[in-house]
Amino acid sequence: MNFVVTTSYNPSKELIEIAKKLAIEYDVRYLNRNHLPKYLKKGLIDFYYVIDKKKMLSIKWRDGEFFFHQGIAKIRMENIRHGERDYLIESINPSENDVVYDATCGLGSDALLIANYAKKVIATEGSVHIYRVVKWGLSNYVSEEEWINKSKEKIELLNENYKDFIRKVEERAFDVVYCDPMFENPIYESNSLNPLRSFALYEPLTKDDLEEMLRISKKKVVIKTLKKDNLYKEIRKYFDEEYVSRKSGVVYGVINKTEV
């Protein structure tokens, strides 16, 4: 896909410099925002990175936008504080000394929530475009929620495909391994996820992947899936516990690590 880096309208010299540096880093062209419409009209670019006046990075295209935000994590934390259940946190049950591996970071909402309870979260994201936006957000976004600011500091995000990463990590490298592959039957009502679908990697989780995840974990592996997905039907036999949302059909399947 063809893309460029630009700024919001009427940018400062600082914004222009940031955008130009990113264009060099991404090995693409920097484009003055005023010149962008004619490129879009001619179909010369598919999407574009934007540095806005708050110095935040996003990706835009004709009818959509992908940007880093805290929305889901913030709402879920509010629900937890009001005594509601959160199946992710219940299934992982992270302690303050745990290092958790989040194999499929996406927007980073799960990583933020986990990091609030854990010592550290190592996360991988295979899509370079999702990685860039989320990495920038984790580094530059300042929240009104102090727990989010603290959680951001405990997340290390890597641009790697989890299938490759789990095969080169040493045994028992993490206390808990968590994987949330893209659903086969997407929940389109999930507005926060819809914009990233165009950039996400769709790769099926295999039995070999599960074995590698168990190898690099000390305590457990947690897989998020949907009851109506084939993945659930294929791997449910390995689950020792299931945390299921009756409303959405989302399942957090837990495979406890047993020592031989």
Side-chain angles (χ1 to χ4, degrees), residues 15-255:
L15 285 186
I16 293 173
E17 286 304 310
I18 293 173
K20 286 182 175 180
K21 287 180 181 179
L22 284 177
I24 292 172
E25 180 183 339
Y26 300 165
D27 194 24
V28 295
R29 181 179 179 181
Y30 162 76
L31 192 64
N32 184 301
R33 184 60 184 264
N34 293 324
H35 299 161
L36 187 66
K38 66 180 181 182
Y39 283 80
L40 290 171
K41 187 175 182 180
K42 292 179 180 180
L44 298 176
I45 57 176
D46 299 300
F47 60 91
Y48 50 99
Y49 282 84
V50 179
I51 285 288
D52 64 24
K53 287 181 168 56
K54 293 182 179 179
K55 299 179 186 177
M56 293 302 295
L57 182 68
S58 63
I59 296 175
K60 295 186 178 183
W61 54 99
R62 286 185 182 275
D63 56 355
E65 179 180 15
F66 172 58
F67 59 96
F68 175 81
H69 60 88
Q70 62 180 6
I72 294 178
K74 181 180 177 181
I75 292 171
R76 287 170 67 179
M77 181 57 75
E78 289 174 353
N79 291 340
I80 291 172
R81 288 172 174 170
H82 284 92
E84 295 185 28
R85 299 182 67 181
D86 188 278
Y87 296 115
L88 169 68
I89 298 304
E90 286 188 32
S91 61
I92 293 179
N93 191 26
S95 74
E96 60 183 10
N97 294 317
D98 282 346
V99 177
V100 179
Y101 171 51
D102 181 353
T104 46
C105 185
L107 270 172
S109 296
D110 287 345
L112 283 170
L113 205 59
I114 295 167
N116 181 69
Y117 300 95
K119 179 179 180 180
K120 187 172 184 178
V121 173
I122 306 294
T124 50
E125 174 50 54
S127 166
V128 66
H129 299 298
I130 295 174
Y131 163 79
R132 287 168 176 165
V133 171
V134 175
K135 179 73 171 181
W136 187 276
L138 290 172
S139 300
N140 297 280
Y141 181 80
V142 179
S143 174
E144 295 178 356
E145 299 284 335
E146 191 55 33
W147 76 267
I148 290 180
N149 294 326
K150 290 180 179 178
S151 288
K152 291 195 302 106
E153 298 300 317
K154 294 194 285 183
I155 298 172
E156 180 181 349
L157 179 58
L158 308 172
N159 181 208
E160 293 202 42
N161 185 304
Y162 79 87
K163 288 177 176 285
D164 298 327
F165 183 79
I166 61 178
R167 284 167 173 80
K168 64 184 181 182
V169 175
E170 64 184 21
E171 192 170 326
R172 294 171 58 86
F174 307 102
D175 293 287
V176 180
V177 172
Y178 169 61
C179 185
D180 174 17
M182 294 295 288
F183 293 155
E184 298 163 47
N185 298 285
I187 302 175
Y188 288 106
E189 292 81 2
S190 180
N191 295 328
S192 63
L193 292 178
N194 291 336
L196 65 72
R197 298 190 195 281
S198 298
F199 303 102
L201 300 181
Y202 293 80
E203 297 179 307
L205 184 72
T206 67
K207 184 176 182 293
D208 288 342
D209 294 334
L210 284 178
E211 290 177 352
E212 289 294 333
M213 290 177 181
L214 283 166
R215 180 185 67 82
I216 65 174
S217 67
K218 295 176 184 176
K219 297 180 179 180
K220 66 176 77 172
V221 173
V222 177
I223 306 296
K224 181 181 177 182
T225 183
L226 273 181
K227 268 203 164 184
K228 60 183 177 181
D229 279 358
N230 288 323
L231 176 61
Y232 174 71
K233 299 169 186 175
E234 293 169 1
I235 68 173
R236 64 176 301 187
K237 60 186 176 183
Y238 302 112
F239 293 162
D240 297 304
E241 304 170 74
E242 290 185 11
Y243 295 80
V244 185
S245 169
R246 293 181 180 178
K247 180 180 179 181
S248 64
V250 171
V251 180
Y252 292 90
V254 179
I255 307 173

